[in-house]
Amino acid sequence: MHRVLVIVPFPVDPDNLQRRRAQLDAVRLGRNITFDFRPVRVAPANYVSAYDAALADFGVLEAGASAERDGYDAVCIDTVSDSGMAALRSVLNVPVIGAGRHAMLMALTLGDRFSILAMWDRWRPLYTKTLAELDLAAKCASIRSADLQPNNQSLLKGREDEVFPVLYETALRCVDEDRADVIVLGSTTMHEAHAYLSERLPVPVVNPGPLTYRLAEAAIRLGVSHSRAAYPAPAGFRSQDANAMADRAHLAE
Amino acid sequence: MSRILVLIPGLLDPAALAARVAEDSAIGIENDTILTHRNVPLAGPSPTSPADRVMGEVAVLEAGLGAEGEGFDAVVIDAFDDCGLAALRSALSIPVVGPGRASLLYALTLGHCFSVIVPAAAFVRTRAAVRDYGLARHCVSLPCVDWPPEGGEVEALVDAARAAVADGAEIVCWGATSMHRATRAVAAAIPVPVVDPRAFALKLAESLLALGVTHSRRAYPEPMVRKDHVLRALVGRAGVERA
């Protein structure tokens, strides 16, 4: 049995954790593989600044640094920001799948250019950072936001009638005006809109969370992981130090 | 159950085909995935000139354009040059996957830059393809090998892969699907990951089916008029029916 750790980038209660786990229902998975969803203990309130990113990177690193020791064969990070991905790749040998860059790169296997559909424009720096790291900004037709307040706890629950049509109209502009071949959902917190959008849009819609589960499985079966040349191991990092820091922060919250 | 048609440009001898099939279980093809391998005789392996490419495109397109009607759920083209990929995508709604561009994009999920180990005869074509994909800045080098070698497949590829690592490659990718047999041995010999395009293309096809996603019709528009009968006549298929 292969085990995959899915790191949820915010502390969430059981109900909201289940909303994240619901992404498993959007993809057919192979046999003999399980996915454990683990919330971080340290996180910013939301992801709109570099200040937030510093906390986010730490939270994901702390949550996942012991994954190999805990018996996991791969790690998925449930955020399109790819927060903590590089750090975890430097301390782990098992595959670490970041939802953001994997969604963008796999979108390019389906068409020549993609657009990123976001809830609000405050997420723009998350995408431009990854595009710069990939050096593929030219492949991004546009980043458009629906000007809607996201909720990283309850996601889109209860707001379907308000949110889904606006997301659809925004995505259609990406296709008709920006000439996008593919739409990438700009957050795993938008997954509940994927089916609605896929049924109505004339282009494929990449659902980043479920994609990471398939790519984790593929990496395990192919025996492939990230390049140590790209993610060199640290000199003195110890996961127990990060754990102790998180213990203190948990008390301070 | 997923039925995937694997089109192999050229005429593989039985031993080579058996080696491909043997590799399928090793790369974790799912139990309920059925692969059907089909040679495409008029498309020679690794066409080296644009004229060869034109012939190959017609042959692969004709070989695959009935796939949906035959009940296949996806098509994989077993050739690193993705010969016929765009044409088949414009003809079919089911996923059509080529190993070339897809495996280079997959390489970029693992690191920042790659090298492609290329059969010498394919160097010019591969360099053009990398540029056309918009990935020239990500490509460190294209070390060439005489392929297939007189002997010592693994040794030839290990040497080329080590050269790629010395060039600064963070990932090594095979430039021919026939290099698949050497993947494990070479990966054990170098400090960076090795991407096997054929294996990844098969897993990508499975993943697209599992996610319910296919290629973009905006990127691959359908023809306004299909001339399947003409294609079949071009390749000399018996029992041609006019559209």
Side-chain angles (χ1 to χ4, degrees), chain B residues 197-225:
Chain B
R198 178 180 180 274
F200 178 68
L202 291 171
K203 295 305 291 179
L204 179 59
E206 284 188 317
S207 295
L208 294 178
L209 290 173
L211 290 161
V213 173
T214 189
H215 49 271
S216 173
R217 188 49 82 211
R218 290 294 170 110
Y220 303 95
E222 293 172 295
M224 293 179 69
V225 178

PDB file of all heavy atoms in Angstrom, chain B residues 197-225:
ATOM      1  N   PRO B 197      10.261   9.202 -21.487  1.00  0.00           N
ATOM      2  CA  PRO B 197       9.096   9.811 -22.140  1.00  0.00           C
ATOM      3  C   PRO B 197       7.960   8.831 -22.403  1.00  0.00           C
ATOM      4  O   PRO B 197       6.793   9.187 -22.266  1.00  0.00           O
ATOM      5  CB  PRO B 197       9.659  10.349 -23.464  1.00  0.00           C
ATOM      6  CG  PRO B 197      11.117  10.464 -23.235  1.00  0.00           C
ATOM      7  CD  PRO B 197      11.483   9.377 -22.287  1.00  0.00           C
ATOM      8  N   ARG B 198       8.324   7.621 -22.772  1.00  0.00           N
ATOM      9  CA  ARG B 198       7.272   6.650 -23.085  1.00  0.00           C
ATOM     10  C   ARG B 198       6.470   6.316 -21.835  1.00  0.00           C
ATOM     11  O   ARG B 198       5.241   6.309 -21.843  1.00  0.00           O
ATOM     12  CB  ARG B 198       7.896   5.383 -23.678  1.00  0.00           C
ATOM     13  CG  ARG B 198       6.882   4.323 -23.991  1.00  0.00           C
ATOM     14  CD  ARG B 198       7.506   3.066 -24.570  1.00  0.00           C
ATOM     15  NE  ARG B 198       6.453   2.116 -24.844  1.00  0.00           N
ATOM     16  CZ  ARG B 198       5.959   1.271 -23.948  1.00  0.00           C
ATOM     17  NH1 ARG B 198       6.448   1.256 -22.716  1.00  0.00           N
ATOM     18  NH2 ARG B 198       4.971   0.466 -24.248  1.00  0.00           N
ATOM     19  N   ALA B 199       7.189   6.053 -20.755  1.00  0.00           N
ATOM     20  CA  ALA B 199       6.510   5.714 -19.505  1.00  0.00           C
ATOM     21  C   ALA B 199       5.637   6.868 -19.034  1.00  0.00           C
ATOM     22  O   ALA B 199       4.495   6.677 -18.612  1.00  0.00           O
ATOM     23  CB  ALA B 199       7.546   5.353 -18.432  1.00  0.00           C
ATOM     24  N   PHE B 200       6.184   8.095 -19.117  1.00  0.00           N
ATOM     25  CA  PHE B 200       5.389   9.225 -18.651  1.00  0.00           C
ATOM     26  C   PHE B 200       4.154   9.428 -19.525  1.00  0.00           C
ATOM     27  O   PHE B 200       3.066   9.747 -19.032  1.00  0.00           O
ATOM     28  CB  PHE B 200       6.202  10.524 -18.599  1.00  0.00           C
ATOM     29  CG  PHE B 200       5.349  11.682 -18.173  1.00  0.00           C
ATOM     30  CD1 PHE B 200       4.846  11.740 -16.883  1.00  0.00           C
ATOM     31  CD2 PHE B 200       4.998  12.678 -19.067  1.00  0.00           C
ATOM     32  CE1 PHE B 200       4.006  12.770 -16.475  1.00  0.00           C
ATOM     33  CE2 PHE B 200       4.159  13.719 -18.676  1.00  0.00           C
ATOM     34  CZ  PHE B 200       3.662  13.761 -17.377  1.00  0.00           C
ATOM     35  N   ALA B 201       4.305   9.262 -20.838  1.00  0.00           N
ATOM     36  CA  ALA B 201       3.156   9.452 -21.722  1.00  0.00           C
ATOM     37  C   ALA B 201       2.025   8.481 -21.368  1.00  0.00           C
ATOM     38  O   ALA B 201       0.846   8.851 -21.361  1.00  0.00           O
ATOM     39  CB  ALA B 201       3.573   9.265 -23.176  1.00  0.00           C
ATOM     40  N   LEU B 202       2.376   7.257 -21.055  1.00  0.00           N
ATOM     41  CA  LEU B 202       1.350   6.271 -20.687  1.00  0.00           C
ATOM     42  C   LEU B 202       0.673   6.662 -19.374  1.00  0.00           C
ATOM     43  O   LEU B 202      -0.555   6.595 -19.248  1.00  0.00           O
ATOM     44  CB  LEU B 202       1.975   4.879 -20.585  1.00  0.00           C
ATOM     45  CG  LEU B 202       2.433   4.263 -21.912  1.00  0.00           C
ATOM     46  CD1 LEU B 202       3.244   2.993 -21.677  1.00  0.00           C
ATOM     47  CD2 LEU B 202       1.240   3.967 -22.818  1.00  0.00           C
ATOM     48  N   LYS B 203       1.477   7.086 -18.388  1.00  0.00           N
ATOM     49  CA  LYS B 203       0.880   7.484 -17.110  1.00  0.00           C
ATOM     50  C   LYS B 203       0.059   8.765 -17.268  1.00  0.00           C
ATOM     51  O   LYS B 203      -0.963   8.942 -16.613  1.00  0.00           O
ATOM     52  CB  LYS B 203       1.970   7.690 -16.044  1.00  0.00           C
ATOM     53  CG  LYS B 203       2.723   6.428 -15.669  1.00  0.00           C
ATOM     54  CD  LYS B 203       1.819   5.287 -15.220  1.00  0.00           C
ATOM     55  CE  LYS B 203       1.160   5.548 -13.887  1.00  0.00           C
ATOM     56  NZ  LYS B 203       0.272   4.419 -13.485  1.00  0.00           N
ATOM     57  N   LEU B 204       0.499   9.664 -18.153  1.00  0.00           N
ATOM     58  CA  LEU B 204      -0.270  10.891 -18.386  1.00  0.00           C
ATOM     59  C   LEU B 204      -1.612  10.552 -19.028  1.00  0.00           C
ATOM     60  O   LEU B 204      -2.647  11.118 -18.646  1.00  0.00           O
ATOM     61  CB  LEU B 204       0.523  11.861 -19.271  1.00  0.00           C
ATOM     62  CG  LEU B 204      -0.188  13.176 -19.614  1.00  0.00           C
ATOM     63  CD1 LEU B 204      -0.541  13.960 -18.351  1.00  0.00           C
ATOM     64  CD2 LEU B 204       0.675  14.041 -20.531  1.00  0.00           C
ATOM     65  N   ALA B 205      -1.609   9.632 -19.981  1.00  0.00           N
ATOM     66  CA  ALA B 205      -2.873   9.228 -20.609  1.00  0.00           C
ATOM     67  C   ALA B 205      -3.823   8.669 -19.559  1.00  0.00           C
ATOM     68  O   ALA B 205      -5.016   9.010 -19.522  1.00  0.00           O
ATOM     69  CB  ALA B 205      -2.606   8.203 -21.705  1.00  0.00           C
ATOM     70  N   GLU B 206      -3.316   7.807 -18.688  1.00  0.00           N
ATOM     71  CA  GLU B 206      -4.151   7.264 -17.613  1.00  0.00           C
ATOM     72  C   GLU B 206      -4.680   8.387 -16.731  1.00  0.00           C
ATOM     73  O   GLU B 206      -5.853   8.381 -16.322  1.00  0.00           O
ATOM     74  CB  GLU B 206      -3.340   6.294 -16.749  1.00  0.00           C
ATOM     75  CG  GLU B 206      -3.091   4.943 -17.372  1.00  0.00           C
ATOM     76  CD  GLU B 206      -2.445   3.985 -16.378  1.00  0.00           C
ATOM     77  OE1 GLU B 206      -1.525   4.423 -15.653  1.00  0.00           O
ATOM     78  OE2 GLU B 206      -2.857   2.811 -16.335  1.00  0.00           O
ATOM     79  N   SER B 207      -3.827   9.362 -16.440  1.00  0.00           N
ATOM     80  CA  SER B 207      -4.223  10.455 -15.547  1.00  0.00           C
ATOM     81  C   SER B 207      -5.291  11.332 -16.184  1.00  0.00           C
ATOM     82  O   SER B 207      -6.235  11.757 -15.525  1.00  0.00           O
ATOM     83  CB  SER B 207      -3.002  11.288 -15.165  1.00  0.00           C
ATOM     84  OG  SER B 207      -2.095  10.509 -14.405  1.00  0.00           O
ATOM     85  N   LEU B 208      -5.132  11.630 -17.458  1.00  0.00           N
ATOM     86  CA  LEU B 208      -6.141  12.456 -18.129  1.00  0.00           C
ATOM     87  C   LEU B 208      -7.491  11.757 -18.115  1.00  0.00           C
ATOM     88  O   LEU B 208      -8.532  12.387 -17.887  1.00  0.00           O
ATOM     89  CB  LEU B 208      -5.704  12.751 -19.569  1.00  0.00           C
ATOM     90  CG  LEU B 208      -4.459  13.630 -19.723  1.00  0.00           C
ATOM     91  CD1 LEU B 208      -4.099  13.803 -21.192  1.00  0.00           C
ATOM     92  CD2 LEU B 208      -4.648  14.988 -19.069  1.00  0.00           C
ATOM     93  N   LEU B 209      -7.493  10.455 -18.330  1.00  0.00           N
ATOM     94  CA  LEU B 209      -8.754   9.705 -18.271  1.00  0.00           C
ATOM     95  C   LEU B 209      -9.329   9.731 -16.859  1.00  0.00           C
ATOM     96  O   LEU B 209     -10.533   9.904 -16.672  1.00  0.00           O
ATOM     97  CB  LEU B 209      -8.523   8.257 -18.728  1.00  0.00           C
ATOM     98  CG  LEU B 209      -8.227   8.083 -20.220  1.00  0.00           C
ATOM     99  CD1 LEU B 209      -7.851   6.638 -20.538  1.00  0.00           C
ATOM    100  CD2 LEU B 209      -9.406   8.526 -21.069  1.00  0.00           C
ATOM    101  N   ALA B 210      -8.468   9.576 -15.873  1.00  0.00           N
ATOM    102  CA  ALA B 210      -8.939   9.568 -14.481  1.00  0.00           C
ATOM    103  C   ALA B 210      -9.491  10.926 -14.060  1.00  0.00           C
ATOM    104  O   ALA B 210     -10.386  11.000 -13.212  1.00  0.00           O
ATOM    105  CB  ALA B 210      -7.782   9.171 -13.564  1.00  0.00           C
ATOM    106  N   LEU B 211      -8.967  11.994 -14.652  1.00  0.00           N
ATOM    107  CA  LEU B 211      -9.411  13.357 -14.316  1.00  0.00           C
ATOM    108  C   LEU B 211     -10.538  13.813 -15.223  1.00  0.00           C
ATOM    109  O   LEU B 211     -11.119  14.877 -14.988  1.00  0.00           O
ATOM    110  CB  LEU B 211      -8.226  14.327 -14.448  1.00  0.00           C
ATOM    111  CG  LEU B 211      -7.139  14.176 -13.386  1.00  0.00           C
ATOM    112  CD1 LEU B 211      -5.833  14.827 -13.851  1.00  0.00           C
ATOM    113  CD2 LEU B 211      -7.586  14.801 -12.073  1.00  0.00           C
ATOM    114  N   GLY B 212     -10.828  13.058 -16.275  1.00  0.00           N
ATOM    115  CA  GLY B 212     -11.888  13.458 -17.197  1.00  0.00           C
ATOM    116  C   GLY B 212     -11.529  14.678 -18.025  1.00  0.00           C
ATOM    117  O   GLY B 212     -12.390  15.503 -18.350  1.00  0.00           O
ATOM    118  N   VAL B 213     -10.254  14.794 -18.401  1.00  0.00           N
ATOM    119  CA  VAL B 213      -9.769  15.973 -19.122  1.00  0.00           C
ATOM    120  C   VAL B 213      -9.157  15.523 -20.446  1.00  0.00           C
ATOM    121  O   VAL B 213      -8.558  14.456 -20.524  1.00  0.00           O
ATOM    122  CB  VAL B 213      -8.695  16.704 -18.273  1.00  0.00           C
ATOM    123  CG1 VAL B 213      -8.058  17.817 -19.044  1.00  0.00           C
ATOM    124  CG2 VAL B 213      -9.318  17.235 -17.006  1.00  0.00           C
ATOM    125  N   THR B 214      -9.318  16.343 -21.469  1.00  0.00           N
ATOM    126  CA  THR B 214      -8.674  16.065 -22.739  1.00  0.00           C
ATOM    127  C   THR B 214      -8.055  17.348 -23.286  1.00  0.00           C
ATOM    128  O   THR B 214      -8.147  18.400 -22.662  1.00  0.00           O
ATOM    129  CB  THR B 214      -9.672  15.447 -23.736  1.00  0.00           C
ATOM    130  OG1 THR B 214      -8.970  14.982 -24.898  1.00  0.00           O
ATOM    131  CG2 THR B 214     -10.723  16.458 -24.167  1.00  0.00           C
ATOM    132  N   HIS B 215      -7.421  17.247 -24.442  1.00  0.00           N
ATOM    133  CA  HIS B 215      -6.732  18.414 -25.014  1.00  0.00           C
ATOM    134  C   HIS B 215      -7.735  19.505 -25.380  1.00  0.00           C
ATOM    135  O   HIS B 215      -8.939  19.256 -25.496  1.00  0.00           O
ATOM    136  CB  HIS B 215      -5.934  17.987 -26.247  1.00  0.00           C
ATOM    137  CG  HIS B 215      -6.741  17.169 -27.214  1.00  0.00           C
ATOM    138  ND1 HIS B 215      -6.828  15.804 -27.133  1.00  0.00           N
ATOM    139  CD2 HIS B 215      -7.513  17.538 -28.256  1.00  0.00           C
ATOM    140  CE1 HIS B 215      -7.612  15.354 -28.082  1.00  0.00           C
ATOM    141  NE2 HIS B 215      -8.044  16.380 -28.777  1.00  0.00           N
ATOM    142  N   SER B 216      -7.230  20.693 -25.602  1.00  0.00           N
ATOM    143  CA  SER B 216      -8.068  21.860 -25.856  1.00  0.00           C
ATOM    144  C   SER B 216      -8.497  21.914 -27.318  1.00  0.00           C
ATOM    145  O   SER B 216      -7.658  21.904 -28.220  1.00  0.00           O
ATOM    146  CB  SER B 216      -7.288  23.121 -25.506  1.00  0.00           C
ATOM    147  OG  SER B 216      -8.018  24.265 -25.885  1.00  0.00           O
ATOM    148  N   ARG B 217      -9.778  22.035 -27.538  1.00  0.00           N
ATOM    149  CA  ARG B 217     -10.291  22.167 -28.891  1.00  0.00           C
ATOM    150  C   ARG B 217      -9.900  23.542 -29.459  1.00  0.00           C
ATOM    151  O   ARG B 217      -9.799  23.702 -30.670  1.00  0.00           O
ATOM    152  CB  ARG B 217     -11.807  21.961 -28.894  1.00  0.00           C
ATOM    153  CG  ARG B 217     -12.491  21.871 -30.239  1.00  0.00           C
ATOM    154  CD  ARG B 217     -11.822  20.909 -31.189  1.00  0.00           C
ATOM    155  NE  ARG B 217     -12.165  19.520 -31.005  1.00  0.00           N
ATOM    156  CZ  ARG B 217     -11.309  18.513 -31.270  1.00  0.00           C
ATOM    157  NH1 ARG B 217     -10.077  18.779 -31.691  1.00  0.00           N
ATOM    158  NH2 ARG B 217     -11.672  17.273 -31.106  1.00  0.00           N
ATOM    159  N   ARG B 218      -9.684  24.513 -28.594  1.00  0.00           N
ATOM    160  CA  ARG B 218      -9.221  25.820 -29.072  1.00  0.00           C
ATOM    161  C   ARG B 218      -7.799  25.716 -29.617  1.00  0.00           C
ATOM    162  O   ARG B 218      -7.445  26.395 -30.568  1.00  0.00           O
ATOM    163  CB  ARG B 218      -9.258  26.845 -27.941  1.00  0.00           C
ATOM    164  CG  ARG B 218     -10.656  27.239 -27.518  1.00  0.00           C
ATOM    165  CD  ARG B 218     -11.392  27.976 -28.624  1.00  0.00           C
ATOM    166  NE  ARG B 218     -12.802  28.144 -28.319  1.00  0.00           N
ATOM    167  CZ  ARG B 218     -13.354  29.322 -28.019  1.00  0.00           C
ATOM    168  NH1 ARG B 218     -12.617  30.412 -27.982  1.00  0.00           N
ATOM    169  NH2 ARG B 218     -14.642  29.392 -27.757  1.00  0.00           N
ATOM    170  N   ALA B 219      -6.986  24.891 -29.013  1.00  0.00           N
ATOM    171  CA  ALA B 219      -5.619  24.717 -29.497  1.00  0.00           C
ATOM    172  C   ALA B 219      -5.577  23.774 -30.700  1.00  0.00           C
ATOM    173  O   ALA B 219      -4.680  23.884 -31.540  1.00  0.00           O
ATOM    174  CB  ALA B 219      -4.733  24.168 -28.378  1.00  0.00           C
ATOM    175  N   TYR B 220      -6.522  22.874 -30.774  1.00  0.00           N
ATOM    176  CA  TYR B 220      -6.544  21.854 -31.821  1.00  0.00           C
ATOM    177  C   TYR B 220      -7.923  21.820 -32.476  1.00  0.00           C
ATOM    178  O   TYR B 220      -8.718  20.897 -32.246  1.00  0.00           O
ATOM    179  CB  TYR B 220      -6.177  20.484 -31.244  1.00  0.00           C
ATOM    180  CG  TYR B 220      -4.827  20.472 -30.565  1.00  0.00           C
ATOM    181  CD1 TYR B 220      -4.717  20.670 -29.187  1.00  0.00           C
ATOM    182  CD2 TYR B 220      -3.652  20.316 -31.303  1.00  0.00           C
ATOM    183  CE1 TYR B 220      -3.477  20.692 -28.572  1.00  0.00           C
ATOM    184  CE2 TYR B 220      -2.417  20.336 -30.684  1.00  0.00           C
ATOM    185  CZ  TYR B 220      -2.335  20.528 -29.320  1.00  0.00           C
ATOM    186  OH  TYR B 220      -1.104  20.550 -28.714  1.00  0.00           O
ATOM    187  N   PRO B 221      -8.239  22.835 -33.267  1.00  0.00           N
ATOM    188  CA  PRO B 221      -9.576  22.867 -33.871  1.00  0.00           C
ATOM    189  C   PRO B 221      -9.794  21.707 -34.829  1.00  0.00           C
ATOM    190  O   PRO B 221      -8.854  21.197 -35.448  1.00  0.00           O
ATOM    191  CB  PRO B 221      -9.588  24.209 -34.614  1.00  0.00           C
ATOM    192  CG  PRO B 221      -8.164  24.600 -34.774  1.00  0.00           C
ATOM    193  CD  PRO B 221      -7.411  23.979 -33.635  1.00  0.00           C
ATOM    194  N   GLU B 222     -11.059  21.308 -34.937  1.00  0.00           N
ATOM    195  CA  GLU B 222     -11.404  20.237 -35.861  1.00  0.00           C
ATOM    196  C   GLU B 222     -11.338  20.733 -37.297  1.00  0.00           C
ATOM    197  O   GLU B 222     -11.528  21.928 -37.549  1.00  0.00           O
ATOM    198  CB  GLU B 222     -12.840  19.760 -35.589  1.00  0.00           C
ATOM    199  CG  GLU B 222     -13.023  19.076 -34.253  1.00  0.00           C
ATOM    200  CD  GLU B 222     -14.486  18.807 -33.974  1.00  0.00           C
ATOM    201  OE1 GLU B 222     -15.255  19.774 -33.819  1.00  0.00           O
ATOM    202  OE2 GLU B 222     -14.854  17.628 -33.928  1.00  0.00           O
ATOM    203  N   PRO B 223     -11.122  19.836 -38.261  1.00  0.00           N
ATOM    204  CA  PRO B 223     -11.212  20.254 -39.659  1.00  0.00           C
ATOM    205  C   PRO B 223     -12.662  20.590 -39.999  1.00  0.00           C
ATOM    206  O   PRO B 223     -13.583  20.003 -39.439  1.00  0.00           O
ATOM    207  CB  PRO B 223     -10.736  19.016 -40.425  1.00  0.00           C
ATOM    208  CG  PRO B 223     -10.984  17.871 -39.504  1.00  0.00           C
ATOM    209  CD  PRO B 223     -10.836  18.398 -38.112  1.00  0.00           C
ATOM    210  N   MET B 224     -12.855  21.497 -40.906  1.00  0.00           N
ATOM    211  CA  MET B 224     -14.223  21.789 -41.339  1.00  0.00           C
ATOM    212  C   MET B 224     -14.760  20.655 -42.201  1.00  0.00           C
ATOM    213  O   MET B 224     -15.954  20.369 -42.202  1.00  0.00           O
ATOM    214  CB  MET B 224     -14.257  23.110 -42.102  1.00  0.00           C
ATOM    215  CG  MET B 224     -13.950  24.314 -41.223  1.00  0.00           C
ATOM    216  SD  MET B 224     -13.961  25.864 -42.146  1.00  0.00           S
ATOM    217  CE  MET B 224     -15.705  26.009 -42.516  1.00  0.00           C
ATOM    218  N   VAL B 225     -13.853  20.031 -42.953  1.00  0.00           N
ATOM    219  CA  VAL B 225     -14.242  18.912 -43.815  1.00  0.00           C
ATOM    220  C   VAL B 225     -13.254  17.777 -43.586  1.00  0.00           C
ATOM    221  O   VAL B 225     -12.055  17.965 -43.762  1.00  0.00           O
ATOM    222  CB  VAL B 225     -14.226  19.315 -45.307  1.00  0.00           C
ATOM    223  CG1 VAL B 225     -14.583  18.110 -46.190  1.00  0.00           C
ATOM    224  CG2 VAL B 225     -15.164  20.477 -45.568  1.00  0.00           C
TER     225      VAL B 225
END
